[in-house]
Amino acid sequence: MSKKRKPGVLSNTAKQKLAYAAHKKALRKEKASPARPPPSKVKKQNQRPPPPFNKNDCVLLVGEGDFSFALALKRHLGVSNITATCYDDEQTLAEKYPQAVDNITAFVDTNISARPQDTDKEAEDEAGHDNMDETLSDWENNISAKPGKTAGEFKVLYAIDATKLLKRRIFSKSSRRYDRIAFQFPHVGGITKDQTRQVRYNQELLLNFFKNAKPLLTPDTGTVIVTLFEGLPYELWNIRALAKEAGLFTKTSFAFDASEYLGYKHSRTLGNIEGKGGAWKGEERKARMYIFGVEAAWTVANRKKMDRKGSDDDD
C-alpha cells in the first residue's frame, strides 16, 4: 500500500519534468538573445591597430605639405627608407610652408637618429646636412641598392604630381617597388565653390593616384594608404569604390589618431593661413585611414574562374 503524499509536495517524476522544462526554456532564451563575446575579445576588437608602417618598409609619400609626416615616420616610428615627394617646386613649398625647410633638413640628415630620444645633440649640431639640391639623376643612380633594405635612406623630390607618377622616369623606368605608398589628406584645393564639381575633381585625383600607385607596389604585400576627414563632403568621394575601380581592394580602415605620429601637423593644401603662422589645424574633425591592397594573381584567377562557373550554371 503506497504512502499518501502531503499536500503541495511533488513526486520525483514531477520534479524532473519541471527541471527539464526550465532547462528547455533557458535554451530557447539563449538562442533568441545575441551571443556576447568574452570581455577580452570585446576589448581587442575596440583597440586601434598600430600605425601601418614598419621600420624596414620602403615607403613612398606623395602630396606632402610641410613634411612633418615624413619626419614623424623617421623620428618617431623609426622607418629608415623613405622617399617623400610634394606637388610644389622647392621655392613655392618654402613660401607656402616656411616650417617645411627645417623639417626637410632634419628629414634628409642621416646623422640625426631615427628616434629623438637617441639623438646626441652635440653630434647633431656638429654634423653637416645633406645637400638639399640633390638632382634627380643622382637619385636615379642610387636606386641600384636593394629596395627597402638600405638603412638610413631619406629622399625628397619636388614637383611630383601624384596622379602622374608613371610618367616620370624615376618611377616608370625604375625597378624599385614600395611596401607602402601613402597620401595624407589628398585634396585639389578650392578649385570651385560648386560642391558637385569639387567632389568630381577630388574623385579624379584619387582614382588617378590609385592607378599610378598600384604598379609601384611590392607584389602581393604592398599597400596604398590614404587618410581622409570623415563626414561630408569627403564621404561623397566614395574612396572604396574608386580604389576598386583602380584594381585595389579595401583591407581595412580605422580612426586616424595624429598623436601616434609625434610632431605631425596637418597642413592646409593652399599653405599656412595668413596672419596665424604654423600649420593649419584643419577643421578639428575626425579622420579615417584606409589601407588598400592588391589581390594576389592566383586569387584573381580563382575568382574569375568561379565567376565563369557561376555564369555557366545559370545557363
Side-chain angles (χ1 to χ4, degrees), residues 138-207:
D138 290 337
W139 185 89
E140 289 182 87
N141 291 334
N142 195 37
I143 64 174
S144 58
K146 190 175 182 179
K149 302 301 180 181
T150 304
E153 185 176 349
F154 306 102
K155 301 292 180 180
V156 171
L157 300 178
Y158 301 95
I160 300 295
D161 188 338
T163 68
K164 300 177 181 178
L165 296 175
L166 297 180
K167 292 186 177 181
R168 302 296 296 267
R169 256 183 87 247
I170 53 177
F171 296 114
S172 62
K173 301 298 182 182
S174 171
S175 60
R176 173 172 293 206
R177 293 296 175 263
Y178 299 91
D179 301 304
R180 309 286 175 257
I181 301 180
F183 200 163
Q184 286 293 104
F185 298 98
H187 200 286
V188 296
I191 294 180
T192 175
K193 293 183 179 180
D194 185 289
Q195 180 170 288
T196 301
R197 292 183 179 180
Q198 191 78 350
V199 167
R200 186 170 69 249
Y201 292 147
N202 281 292
Q203 287 179 324
E204 292 173 354
L205 167 67
L206 280 172
L207 180 59

Side-chain angles (χ1 to χ4, degrees), residues 210-251:
F210 285 142
K211 289 180 176 179
N212 277 262
K214 180 184 174 183
L216 300 178
L217 290 172
T218 302
D220 299 336
T221 60
T223 57
V224 174
I225 302 169
V226 178
T227 305
L228 293 177
F229 284 121
E230 292 186 346
L232 293 173
Y234 304 96
E235 65 183 26
L236 298 177
W237 298 4
N238 202 357
I239 186 173
R240 297 174 188 267
L242 295 173
K244 185 177 181 180
E245 185 176 345
L248 301 170
F249 74 98
T250 306
K251 300 186 70 172

Side-chain angles (χ1 to χ4, degrees), residues 252-266:
T252 186
S253 70
F254 47 86
F256 173 72
D257 185 1
S259 66
E260 294 180 327
Y261 303 84
L262 191 63
Y264 169 61
K265 295 180 180 179
H266 174 60

